[in-house]
C-alpha cells in the first residue's frame, strides 16, 4: 500500500511539473477558455453566496501598512507580518498576533522585514527574515532568534517543533531535527543538475505526516538595463520575449527521509501547491508577455492526472485553497490594465467553485485593493484574505 501511494504521489509530482510547458505551447496558438464566471444566485452553493467584509484596514494620514503574510492556527489565534511606512519610508517591521479571530491585533517589532511566516499550531510559529529565523513557542507573544543555514533561504516548513526544512534561492535546501539549532543539506538537492543562481524553491506542502512535495522553478531571467519601471514603459514588458525554464518537483513519501526529483521544460513559474485528501492544485504564474498572468491546475494524487481548471487574462491569481471534498477557492487581483504584473493596485477578487467546473465571483468589499492577496484559514469554516495594501477581509458566516 505504501509503495502504491508513493508511486501515485510521484506521478502527481510529475504531472504538476508537466502542464506549464504543454499549455505554454497551446497559448502560442490562441487562448484556451477555462473557468467561465457567474454571479452567485439563490440556487448557488452557500459558500459562493457568502460575503468578504473588511475586518481590518490600516488608514492613517501619511502612513501605510504592507502585509507580507497571514496565517491562523485556530479560529481565534492568528499571526501576521507587516511593514509600516511613513511618507513612503519603512519605519517598523512588525509581527502582529490576534487571540480573538482578528478583531484586535497586538504588535511587536522584529527588526528586519519578514520574507515568510510558518505557523504550526497555537504555540509554535517561525518568521524568516534576512539571514535570521525567529521562533515563538508562545503563539507570537515573544520571539527568539535562531540562525538560518544560508542567507538565501526564504521559507521554512516545520512538521513539529523540532523537525523542519529551510528552502529558497538555489537548488540546495536544508533539514533540521533540533528546531533549527543545526541544519544539514538534503542529499538529493545537492545532486540536482540545475543552475543554482537561476533556481527558486518556492513552496513545500504535506498532505500527510509522511507524504509531501517541494516545488520550484529554474529559469534565466531576462535583464533590463533601463532605469524606468515597467509601469512607465508597458510596451517593454508586454513585448518581452518569453524565456523557457524548468519546473522542479521533489516528492517524499517517508516524512522527508528521502526525496524523488522530477523536472520538465516550461515557460511559467510553479509558485505554490496545495494538497488535500486525494487531490492537489498547483499555481503557475507567467510574465506580462503571456496571454494570462496565472493558471491553476488540478492534480489527482491517486492517478497523477492533471488538467488546467482556471485562468483569466485580467485576473492575477495569487493564492488557492482546497475546501471539502471538491471545492476550491481562488484569491487574487483584478488587473487594472494590460500591464497585469505592475505595481498599480487592483481590486481584490475571490472566486469559488464547488467542483472545479462551475465558477462563482464572490462579493468582496469594493475598498479592498492591492497587488497581492493571500488566503488564511482555520479548517473549512473560517477564512480570511489579506491584501498587501493593509487590508484583512473575513468571510462572513
Amino acid at each position: 500500500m505504501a509503495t502504491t501511494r508513493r508511486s501515485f504521489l510521484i506521478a502527481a509530482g510529475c504531472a504538476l511539473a508537466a502542464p506549464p510547458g504543454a499549455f505554454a505551447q497551446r497559448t502560442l496558438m490562441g487562448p484556451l477558455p477555462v473557468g467561465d464566471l457567474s454571479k452567485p444566485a439563490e440556487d448557488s452553493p452557500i459558500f459562493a453566496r457568502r460575503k468578504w467584509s473588511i475586518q481590518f484596514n490600516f488608514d492613517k494620514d501619511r502612513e501605510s501598512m504592507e502585509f507580507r503574510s497571514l496565517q491562523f492556527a485556530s479560529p481565534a489565534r492568528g499571526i501576521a507580518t507587516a511593514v509600516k511606512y511613513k511618507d513612503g519610508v519603512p519605519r517598523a517591521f512588525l509581527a502582529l498576533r490576534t487571540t480573538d479571530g482578528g478583531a484586535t491585533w497586538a504588535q511587536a517589532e522584529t527588526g528586519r522585514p519578514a520574507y515568510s511566516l510558518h505557523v504550526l499550531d497555537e504555540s509554535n510559529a517561525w518568521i524568516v527574515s534576512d539571514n535570521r529565523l525567529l521562533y515563538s513557542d508562545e503563539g507570537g507573544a515573544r520571539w527568539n532568534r535562531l540562525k538560518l543555514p544560508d542567507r538565501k533561504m526564504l521559507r521554512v516548513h516545520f512538521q513539529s517543533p523540532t523537525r523542519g526544512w529551510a528552502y529558497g534561492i538555489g537548488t540546495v535546501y536544508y533539514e533540521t531535527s533540533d528546531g533549527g539549532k543545526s541544519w544539514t543539506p538534503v542529499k538529493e538537492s545537492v545532486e540536482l543538475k540545475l543552475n543554482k543562481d537561476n533556481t527558486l524553491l518556492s513552496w513545500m506542502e504535506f498532505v500527510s505526516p509522511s507524504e509531501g512535495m517541494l516545488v520550484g522553478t529554474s529559469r534565466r531571467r531576462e535583464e533590463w538595463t533601463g532605469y524606468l519601471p515597467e509601469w512607465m514603459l508597458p510596451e517593454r514588458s508586454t513585448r518581452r520575449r518569453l524565456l523557457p525554464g524548468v519546473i522542479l518537483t521533489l516528492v517524499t513519501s517517508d516524512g522527508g527521509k528521502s526525496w524523488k526529483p522530477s523536472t520538465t521544460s516550461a515557460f511559467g513559474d510553479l509558485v505554490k501547491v496545495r494538497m488535500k485528501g486525494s487531490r492537489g492544485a498547483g499555481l503557475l504564474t507567467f510574465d506580462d508577455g503571456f496571454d494570462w498572468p496565472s493558471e491553476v491546475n488540478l492534480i489527482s494524487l491517486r492517478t497523477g492526472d492533471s488538467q488546467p481548471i482556471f485562468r483569466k487574462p485580467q485576473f492575477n491569481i495569487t493564492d488557492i485553497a482546497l475546501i471539502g471534498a471538491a471545492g476550491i477557492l481562488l484569491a487574487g487581483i483584478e488587473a487594472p490594465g494590460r500591464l497585469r504584473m505592475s505595481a498599480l493596485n487592483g481590486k481584490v477578487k475571490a472566486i469559488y467553485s464547488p467542483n472545479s467546473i462551475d465558477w462563482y465571483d464572490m462579493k468582496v468589499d469594493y475598498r479592498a485593493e492591492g497587488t497581492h492577496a493571500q488566503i488564511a484559514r482555520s479548517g473549512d469554516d473560517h477564512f480570511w484574505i489579506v491584501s498587501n495594501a493593509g487590508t484583512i477581509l473575513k468571510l462572513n458566516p
Side-chain angles (χ1 to χ4, degrees):
M1 179 66 179
T3 302
T4 303
R5 175 67 174 180
R6 176 180 173 82
S7 64
F8 284 152
L9 197 58
I10 291 174
C14 296
L16 191 59
F23 288 103
Q25 296 298 326
R26 289 193 192 182
T27 304
L28 301 179
M29 297 183 291
L32 179 66
V34 175
D36 292 331
L37 289 176
S38 61
K39 292 291 184 181
E42 290 300 322
D43 59 347
S44 302
I46 294 177
F47 193 96
R49 287 180 273 148
R50 296 167 68 180
K51 177 184 176 181
W52 295 90
S53 298
I54 290 181
Q55 186 183 41
F56 176 92
N57 186 47
F58 188 85
D59 186 13
K60 291 186 178 181
D61 187 34
R62 299 174 56 192
E63 293 185 356
S64 62
M65 180 176 288
E66 176 191 356
F67 279 110
R68 296 291 181 88
S69 55
L70 173 67
Q71 292 185 27
F72 275 79
S74 68
R77 295 183 177 272
I79 298 176
T81 61
V83 181
K84 185 182 289 186
Y85 295 84
K86 186 171 183 178
D87 296 328
V89 178
R91 295 298 187 186
F93 305 109
L94 303 173
L96 303 92
R97 67 185 181 94
T98 181
T99 57
D100 54 16
T104 60
W105 294 86
Q107 300 182 7
E109 292 207 23
T110 60
R112 299 184 185 183
Y115 293 154
S116 63
L117 167 71
H118 179 75
V119 175
L120 176 65
D121 51 37
E122 289 193 343
S123 299
N124 297 280
W126 294 260
I127 293 175
V128 179
S129 60
D130 185 18
N131 201 30
R132 180 183 295 177
L133 179 62
L134 300 178
Y135 168 63
S136 176
D137 58 1
E138 300 177 359
R142 185 177 62 180
W143 297 91
N144 300 312
R145 180 177 173 180
L146 300 172
K147 271 193 172 182
L148 285 171
D150 190 310
R151 69 178 305 114
K152 293 183 179 180
M153 298 297 99
L154 305 179
R155 291 186 177 275
V156 295
H157 183 98
F158 278 81
Q159 283 192 298
S160 73
T162 56
R163 178 66 168 158
W165 295 265
Y167 56 97
I169 299 173
T171 54
V172 178
Y173 60 105
Y174 300 81
E175 60 183 347
T176 180
S177 297
D178 55 14
K181 296 177 182 178
S182 62
W183 297 89
T184 304
V186 174
K187 177 177 64 71
E188 291 85 352
S189 69
V190 177
E191 299 170 353
L192 289 173
K193 305 301 182 182
L194 295 172
N195 188 319
K196 63 179 182 179
D197 296 326
N198 295 341
T199 303
L200 174 64
L201 300 176
S202 54
W203 197 261
M204 182 179 286
E205 185 99 346
F206 276 77
V207 69
S208 73
S210 60
E211 300 155 331
M213 188 182 299
L214 174 62
V215 302
T217 306
S218 185
R219 180 159 66 99
R220 181 172 64 87
R221 313 287 167 168
E222 194 167 18
E223 297 289 337
W224 289 96
T225 57
Y227 62 90
L228 295 177
E230 300 286 0
W231 60 268
M232 292 187 67
L233 294 171
E235 69 282 356
R236 183 178 69 183
S237 178
T238 54
R239 295 176 184 175
R240 179 177 298 173
R241 182 170 59 92
L242 300 178
L243 298 176
V246 173
I247 294 294
L248 169 67
T249 64
L250 296 113
V251 169
T252 180
S253 293
D254 53 16
K257 296 178 182 178
S258 63
W259 298 82
K260 174 69 174 180
S262 300
T263 60
T264 190
S265 178
F267 279 102
D269 295 329
L270 181 55
V271 298
K272 186 171 289 188
V273 59
R274 299 290 195 187
M275 296 188 290
K276 182 179 175 67
S278 62
R279 63 191 179 120
L283 176 59
L284 315 170
T285 61
F286 305 95
D287 293 332
D288 271 322
F290 221 71
D291 287 352
W292 44 76
S294 54
E295 177 182 277
V296 176
N297 280 258
L298 189 66
I299 311 295
S300 170
L301 301 184
R302 289 177 175 170
T303 65
D305 293 336
S306 169
Q307 62 177 334
I309 57 172
F310 192 94
R311 57 186 183 229
K312 288 293 181 182
Q314 295 306 120
F315 180 31
N316 183 26
I317 307 161
T318 55
D319 205 358
I320 51 182
L322 301 178
I323 304 172
I328 183 168
L329 172 68
L330 310 180
I333 304 297
E334 187 174 32
R338 178 67 180 90
L339 192 59
R340 300 164 308 211
M341 306 299 287
S342 72
L344 300 177
N345 284 343
K347 298 293 185 182
V348 174
K349 290 182 68 68
I351 309 297
Y352 171 73
S353 174
N355 51 19
S356 302
I357 300 173
D358 304 307
W359 295 93
Y360 299 92
D361 192 355
M362 300 179 72
K363 191 172 183 180
V364 178
D365 191 297
Y366 72 94
R367 295 169 294 175
E369 295 184 337
T371 60
H372 188 275
Q374 181 183 145
I375 300 171
R377 67 186 298 176
S378 178
D380 280 347
D381 297 320
H382 302 273
F383 290 86
W384 297 259
I385 291 178
V386 61
S387 158
N388 65 325
T391 300
I392 298 176
L393 296 155
K394 187 172 184 179
L395 186 60
N396 294 342

